[in-house]
Amino acid sequence: KAAKVKHTPLEKQGCSACHLPHVSAAGEHLLAKAVPELCLGCHKASAPTFVKKHVGYPVATRRCTDCHDPHGGKTKGLLTSDTVAALCSECHEKTLEGLAFVHGPAAIGQCTACHQPHASEHPALLKAADRELCIECHTEILDRTAERKHVHPPVEGSCLSCHKPHGAANKMMLSATVPGLCLDCNDTIAERLE
């Protein structure tokens, strides 16, 4: 089956762009050099577009072919799977398992709506700090709290104080049911209710 998107060196130069015809000291498939060195011959790790796409991912020590097909694929980026979600789930298959309520982007396989695929300055490969990232879509939180004198401290801090990022057993993706969730942080009230 022909690839929808072909790797440019293959398309322009043929097999010899990456492979030697008879023998190779680089290992399998008669490659001219081992991966990732072969890939980095064209894809300069210091180029601004490459850096932006790979955000500090240690490309020089990884196998590009774990995620990218060197010949071609169905999508830009030459992914080894049909979709980003399918590729992510090869390693993160249990992320959504057993969740009654699933975050919209996760439910439709849009992992890259929140996560960088290669590396990030933020935990869990997030594109931004959790609250900053959440309010990119959930602007109503800013609207509801902008003019208020008193705002619940977790709302100004980390959304993950109360919510699970991919989904949860509870509505609104709360990490626990109310009032238990509230009492986890308000222990003096919890003591009075016992």
Side-chain angles (χ1 to χ4, degrees):
K1 188 158 54 164
K4 184 177 175 183
V5 181
K6 291 182 176 62
H7 195 205
T8 304
L10 175 63
E11 202 167 41
K12 293 190 176 189
Q13 300 167 309
C15 303
S16 63
C18 300
H19 299 275
L20 298 173
H22 301 108
V23 295
S24 170
E28 60 185 349
H29 309 296
L30 299 176
L31 292 175
K33 294 178 182 173
V35 173
E37 184 184 5
L38 177 65
C39 304
L40 294 174
C42 295
H43 301 279
K44 301 296 180 205
S46 60
T49 54
F50 190 87
V51 170
K52 185 177 180 184
K53 287 180 183 174
H54 294 82
V55 198
Y57 185 73
V59 175
T61 61
R62 299 291 192 257
R63 287 190 57 85
C64 310
T65 52
D66 287 346
C67 298
H68 302 280
D69 187 316
H71 301 108
K74 290 184 179 180
T75 62
K76 184 179 172 189
L78 308 178
L79 300 179
T80 56
S81 294
D82 291 347
T83 64
V84 171
L87 183 63
C88 296
S89 69
E90 286 178 18
C91 296
H92 305 283
E93 71 276 356
K94 295 185 186 245
T95 301
L96 303 179
E97 194 173 272
L99 300 176
F101 300 93
V102 179
H103 190 223
I108 60 171
Q110 294 296 318
C111 308
T112 55
C114 300
H115 299 277
Q116 293 285 4
H118 301 106
S120 172
E121 296 173 2
H122 306 284
L125 300 178
L126 291 176
K127 289 183 169 184
D130 69 79
R131 182 180 189 277
E132 181 183 323
L133 182 62
C134 296
I135 60 176
E136 283 180 18
C137 294
H138 300 283
T139 56
E140 74 282 0
I141 299 298
L142 286 181
D143 296 341
R144 288 195 327 233
T145 60
E147 303 293 320
R148 304 289 185 215
K149 185 175 178 181
H150 303 286
V151 178
H152 190 215
V155 174
E156 293 176 322
S158 172
C159 302
L160 302 181
S161 298
C162 300
H163 301 275
K164 295 284 190 182
H166 297 107
N170 306 300
K171 288 183 180 181
M172 305 296 290
M173 298 187 325
L174 293 173
S175 56
T177 56
V178 174
L181 176 63
C182 305
L183 297 175
D184 283 345
C185 293
N186 296 289
D187 51 0
T188 55
I189 295 172
E191 289 171 9
R192 289 190 306 191
L193 294 176
E194 289 179 348

